[in-house]
Amino acid sequence: MSGLRRYHAPVWDEPLIMEMSAPGRRGNVPPEPIEELDPASVLPAGLLRATRAALPEVAEPDVLRHYLHLSQETMGMIGISLFGTCTMKYNPRAGEQLAQRDGLAELHPDQDDSTLQGLLEVVHRFDLMLRGLSGMDRFVFQAGGGAAAAFTHATVTRAYFAERGELAQRRDVITTQQAHPCNPATAAAAGFNVITLPLESDGYPSLDALKAVVSDRTAALMMNNPDDMGIYNPHVKEWVRTVKDAGGLAFYDHANFNGVMGRLRAAELGFDACMFMLHKTFGVSKGGGGPAVGAYGCTEELAPYLPGPLVEKTDDGYVRRENPSGVGRVREYSGNLNQVVKAYSWLTAMGGDGIKEAADLSVLANNYMETRLLALPGVTKAIPTMTKHRLEMTRFSLEEWSAETGLKATDVQNRMADFGIDAMWLSHEPWIVPEPFTPEAGESWSLEDIDYWIDVLAHVLEEGRTDPEKVRTAPHEQVVAQFDGAGLDRPDGWATTWRAHRRKTGRA
Ligand SMILES: Cc1ncc(COP(=O)(O)O)c(C=O)c1O
């Protein structure tokens, strides 16, 4: 085990900040005299509280210590994260600093456009950059993540066919077995029937099966390529053509853009629309629905249906305008625009040649990993009949190791965390590969980090053979031991606000 670093998380029995409250305790006591202002004299009646806000009364050092403890518990590790399909690349501090500047962080979306010119210019310029990378005609940044961008497409599809009077007939959205689940899910949420096509033994979805289901009922194809196993479907043009010849729309889920950045353009493959994830590909931090942004772009033909407001350059500067024929909001206002600033700074710094190099590096890093990982006994490649190189990630299987040890991929995931490795990505549901795991190195992890990650995995696999109990009961050094995910399906057991917590524990 030489060379492996142990990690031990700080564990605090930290109360909730509401539980630390003591009447009259203050963080800050302003000097006398302070003028009392009657809120009713300055605020409209509708904004006045009937009762005092339930805020914790806590001293400033206690507040600092409380949040320090929580951050130690949650951020203590910041380990190596090769979390496949999510492209956990480094989020440059420069981007974070730009987004935190007062001139940006303190903006309010209800401000007049004349006071938002800098931000609107960045949005417009970034829209132009993504047009360049995809060949699409217009982008919006309202969606709160990749799945929300896929949903935007599903609603745009609905509006497009409704306007043509074909919505009652075009009910089918086609996707494939290994597509990200947000594609079928968002199509279903928008009211379409979902047709999911199988994979053939060569690892590609079946073109014959596509031809058999395409018809005048087809509304759209929704696919990601490369898929979440790192497999690039070389027949993609034919897929798109087949659907479009039948009058359907083709949507490219470009979440896995990292390995092909600057190397292909969605429009040239025939797609009508695509999405990028700024929180993966473009250096913005990952956070489902939080700091995430799904950029949705489409051709001129679909642009009338885009959610407003749209940012436009005019002779008098930049303006936001509503889009009366659009699908309406998919999120509040224009979305998380300070993330667009981070992505813009990342892409500007990288430049056209830089992103091509990053794409090549991410593919190289993955193929290096693949060579080392496949040399570990018990590790096999998912869909071994697909012998071509994977792109920026590869899905592997621990099926053989699992049969030998009686342990699971989730046990490996838990034990690796004891050595400072963030939980590795296994697979989206439903699993089509037994005991899967899907690392993705991207371009920003060093060779030493990648080697360390593989060394930890090798150690844990060997430990599973010699001391399976240690692996089965992991993690041993984390804030919480094994977490029963089933609890998430019982809403009575969790609460995301203090008020909900009191209600659910009967203390309201
Ligand atoms: C191919 C693909 N599409 C869509 C998504 C969904 O993106 P998000 O998590 O931002 O909603 C992911 C997420 O990993 C993905 O890998």
Side-chain angles (χ1 to χ4, degrees):
M1 176 165 151
S2 69
L4 297 198
R5 274 168 278 152
R6 278 189 61 225
Y7 169 72
H8 196 304
V11 179
W12 297 99
D13 276 338
E14 195 65 17
L16 298 177
I17 195 152
M18 299 301 284
E19 292 167 339
M20 292 165 63
S21 177
R25 194 164 290 170
R26 307 284 288 272
N28 207 321
V29 181
E32 302 273 1
I34 189 161
E35 203 183 321
E36 286 277 339
L37 188 65
D38 177 10
S41 68
V42 282
L43 290 175
L47 289 182
L48 291 175
R49 290 183 163 279
T51 53
R52 285 177 73 88
L55 297 175
E57 297 180 69
V58 194
E60 190 169 302
D62 296 335
V63 175
L64 285 176
R65 252 188 329 191
H66 174 68
Y67 286 107
L68 175 71
H69 293 170
L70 294 184
S71 70
Q72 286 171 334
E73 287 193 323
T74 54
M75 307 287 287
M77 197 165 94
I78 305 198
I80 300 173
S81 183
L82 306 190
F83 198 84
T85 88
C86 282
T87 318
M88 305 298 275
K89 62 177 70 177
Y90 182 66
N91 312 132
R93 293 303 92 188
E96 301 297 324
Q97 280 168 8
L98 281 175
Q100 279 167 22
R101 287 164 64 124
D102 283 356
L104 192 60
E106 302 290 327
L107 296 180
H108 192 282
D110 278 336
Q111 277 178 226
D112 191 79
D113 285 350
S114 62
T115 66
L116 297 173
Q117 288 298 296
L119 176 61
L120 298 182
E121 181 174 348
V122 168
V123 171
H124 177 68
R125 284 175 175 230
F126 194 60
D127 171 10
L128 296 182
M129 287 168 147
L130 294 191
R131 293 184 202 184
L133 286 177
S134 63
M136 293 294 148
D137 294 317
R138 164 76 84 147
F139 275 84
V140 287
F141 306 106
Q142 202 175 57
F151 181 67
T152 307
H153 180 71
T155 57
V156 165
T157 303
R158 200 171 52 191
Y160 173 78
F161 285 117
E163 173 134 351
R164 296 162 69 95
E166 292 178 43
L167 189 58
Q169 166 203 329
R170 295 204 177 258
R171 303 306 311 148
D172 297 344
V173 169
I174 302 172
T175 181
T176 58
Q177 197 188 9
Q178 89 298 16
H180 186 274
C182 77
N183 291 292
T186 55
F192 291 104
N193 306 321
V194 176
I195 299 178
T196 304
L197 300 178
L199 289 189
E200 303 211 322
S201 57
D202 63 3
Y204 301 125
S206 166
L207 188 56
D208 288 342
L210 175 71
K211 289 182 176 159
V213 296
V214 160
S215 71
D216 60 3
R217 292 185 308 279
T218 303
L221 167 73
M222 295 176 77
M223 69 185 293
N224 54 295
N225 192 33
D227 66 16
D228 285 342
M229 300 190 285
I231 298 175
Y232 184 84
N233 181 350
H235 313 298
V236 56
K237 268 190 170 171
E238 201 173 344
W239 275 69
V240 171
R241 202 178 319 115
T242 304
V243 169
K244 293 187 64 174
D245 284 351
L249 297 173
F251 167 72
Y252 198 167
D253 168 345
H254 241 328
N256 299 331
F257 189 51
N258 216 50
V260 294
M261 285 186 293
R263 299 278 179 213
L264 57 81
R265 301 197 329 149
E268 277 145 27
L269 295 174
F271 286 97
D272 303 286
C274 74
M275 69 88 155
F276 294 109
M277 280 150 69
L278 308 193
H279 53 293
K280 291 171 56 160
T281 318
F282 296 100
V284 176
S285 54
K286 168 97 178 157
V293 176
Y296 175 73
C298 63
T299 57
E300 208 54 69
E301 195 184 5
L302 294 183
Y305 310 102
L306 283 171
L310 303 174
V311 174
E312 262 161 26
K313 186 176 181 190
T314 70
D315 290 343
D316 298 326
Y318 296 91
V319 292
R320 288 171 294 176
R321 73 161 176 83
E322 289 304 332
N323 191 17
S325 57
V327 296
R329 299 279 191 275
V330 291
R331 199 183 168 158
E332 314 82 9
Y333 294 102
S334 305
N336 261 324
L337 291 189
N338 55 355
Q339 311 304 321
V340 175
V341 173
K342 293 182 198 173
Y344 174 75
S345 97
W346 184 88
L347 192 50
T348 308
M350 293 292 285
D353 290 341
I355 59 167
K356 283 187 190 150
E357 191 183 346
D360 293 351
L361 274 176
S362 73
V363 175
L364 180 68
N366 182 51
N367 283 281
Y368 171 78
M369 280 195 86
E370 194 181 298
T371 306
R372 272 206 66 195
L373 286 171
L374 289 177
L376 301 179
V379 176
T380 55
K381 196 158 147 176
I383 326 263
T385 42
M386 212 299 272
T387 50
K388 297 222 174 73
H389 280 304
R390 308 289 154 102
L391 288 186
E392 82 295 9
M393 66 186 147
T394 300
R395 179 156 298 157
F396 299 91
S397 170
L398 289 172
E399 187 179 20
E400 287 178 8
W401 176 84
S402 179
E404 188 187 338
T405 58
L407 297 167
K408 307 252 161 240
T410 43
D411 299 323
V412 176
Q413 190 185 36
N414 287 339
R415 181 64 178 138
M416 285 176 79
D418 285 335
F419 299 95
I421 298 290
D422 285 347
M424 61 175 176
W425 180 240
L426 302 180
S427 166
H428 294 296
E429 304 278 350
W431 287 7
I432 54 175
V433 171
E435 300 307 322
F437 71 100
T438 320
E440 178 183 356
E443 72 277 14
S444 59
W445 296 95
S446 66
L447 186 59
E448 290 82 355
D449 285 339
I450 295 174
D451 277 334
Y452 181 75
W453 195 97
I454 298 169
D455 290 346
V456 171
L457 178 72
H459 171 79
V460 172
L461 295 183
E462 202 38 47
E463 195 176 45
R465 296 183 176 99
T466 54
D467 188 358
E469 215 36 40
K470 182 107 186 210
V471 178
R472 194 191 320 276
T473 50
H476 304 284
E477 317 284 2
Q478 294 290 329
V479 178
V480 285
Q482 289 188 3
F483 176 70
D484 176 12
L488 293 172
D489 293 331
R490 294 192 299 269
D492 280 350
W494 49 258
T496 50
T497 64
W498 169 244
R499 254 190 286 178
H501 171 66
R502 288 179 41 106
R503 205 173 50 243
K504 289 181 177 179
T505 53
R507 289 197 274 149

